[in-house]
Amino acid sequence: MKTKILFRARVLIPLLSILMAITSCGPMVFTTGANLPPPPWFYPNRLEVVRYVYFPNYRFYYDLSARTYIYLEGNVWVRRKVLPPRYNHLDLRRTRYERIRGYQKDDIRSYHEEHNANRGRSNRSS
């Protein structure tokens, strides 16, 4: 009887410790890419499947799976690991962004044209 209790204690205590450590890590993000952590400015409040994050005030995206920023350079969408100098003043932890849910394709241009074509325009006539 004593050996059963000791065995259970030796097995259950480490298992419970591991379970508690994992659950206390906070929210998790699942992307289609490698299991790299998201950037420090991106912290979701629940479990999500997200590939892109959009910064509407500055009109650029971040691809969580490729870990690249996507922005217009002239009339061409480019992907870079870092933002160009014109965005150096931004604190992305304090900048408003939107999670793009349900879009996993590589071509962000078509998504942007479809969903942001009329953004910022007014329907009122002058």
Side-chain angles (χ1 to χ4, degrees):
M1 184 69 124
K2 253 186 172 180
T3 41
K4 246 185 186 178
I5 294 171
L6 285 175
F7 176 74
R8 286 183 183 168
R10 287 183 183 167
V11 172
L12 288 179
I13 290 174
L15 279 175
L16 287 174
S17 300
I18 291 170
L19 181 64
M20 288 173 47
I22 290 172
T23 57
S24 67
C25 290
M28 297 167 49
V29 176
F30 291 99
T31 64
T32 57
N35 289 333
L36 298 171
W41 49 260
F42 181 76
Y43 200 77
N45 57 3
R46 62 187 177 279
L47 177 68
E48 293 185 80
V49 178
V50 174
R51 179 172 179 182
Y52 295 103
V53 177
Y54 179 58
F55 293 85
N57 295 342
Y58 303 100
R59 300 178 57 118
F60 68 84
Y61 293 85
Y62 184 78
D63 184 343
L64 289 160
S65 63
R67 300 186 61 84
T68 56
Y69 294 94
I70 307 165
Y71 55 89
L72 275 172
E73 191 72 52
N75 287 331
V76 178
W77 287 96
V78 296
R79 290 175 172 264
R80 301 286 187 263
K81 293 286 183 186
V82 294
L83 285 169
R86 68 178 180 254
Y87 297 115
N88 282 348
H89 68 283
L90 295 180
D91 179 2
L92 295 180
R93 290 182 180 148
R94 297 183 181 271
T95 303
R96 185 174 74 86
Y97 61 85
E98 300 170 3
R99 298 173 181 102
I100 308 300
R101 293 176 182 90
Y103 189 79
Q104 299 295 322
K105 297 178 185 176
D106 290 330
D107 182 23
I108 199 67
R109 179 188 55 83
S110 61
Y111 175 87
H112 184 79
E113 289 173 356
E114 183 179 328
H115 291 87
N116 296 306
N118 295 322
R119 187 180 282 242
R121 295 184 184 167
S122 173
N123 290 333
R124 294 184 295 167
S125 58
S126 300

